[in-house]
């Protein structure tokens, strides 16, 4: 498969780059921000917990890694997913 010219070289896709994308693409809007918004509304004092951001980012990263795994290795009959994020270099 030939790389379209508008996409960056595959050499730019490192583990560091992957986790940067995952953190900002998924972790924040899927896990971190919803939890922080809920805490700010219900228990603002908990939003300042020193480890909360780290834990929620880790959960968001884990969620996305699992999603990529299921995209690549999952059986479409079981996952009901037919995503091509890896092939389209969205991750």
């Amino acid at each position: 498969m030939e790389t379209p010219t508008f996409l960056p070289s595959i050499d730019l896709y490192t583990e560091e780059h992957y986790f940067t994308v995952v953190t900002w693409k998924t972790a924040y809007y899927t896990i971190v921000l919803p939890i922080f918004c809920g805490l700010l509304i219900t228990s603002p004092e908990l939003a300042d917990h020193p480890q909360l951001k780290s834990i929620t980012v880790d959960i968001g990263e884990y969620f996305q890694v699992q999603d990529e795994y299921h995209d690549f290795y999952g059986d479409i009959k079981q996952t009901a997913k037919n995503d091509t994020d890896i092939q389209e270099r969205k991750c």
Side-chain angles (χ1 to χ4, degrees), residues 20-46:
T20 299
V21 171
V22 165
T23 298
W24 295 106
K25 174 186 170 213
T26 302
Y28 272 89
Y29 79 88
T30 303
I31 306 293
V32 177
L33 294 177
I35 289 175
F36 272 85
C37 288
L39 285 173
L40 288 172
I41 292 169
T42 60
S43 306
E45 68 281 357
L46 293 177

Side-chain angles (χ1 to χ4, degrees), residues 43-86:
S43 306
E45 68 281 357
L46 293 177
D48 288 333
H49 191 281
Q51 294 177 326
L52 185 60
K53 182 178 175 186
S54 174
I55 291 168
T56 54
V57 167
D58 287 347
I59 292 169
E61 289 175 350
Y62 177 77
F63 172 84
Q64 186 61 37
V65 169
Q66 285 293 105
D67 185 63
E68 305 297 355
Y69 178 86
H70 290 294
D71 285 351
F72 194 74
Y73 294 107
D75 180 358
I76 192 169
K77 294 175 186 170
Q78 292 180 338
T79 63
K81 294 177 60 131
N82 191 20
D83 291 335
T84 57
D85 284 355
I86 294 172

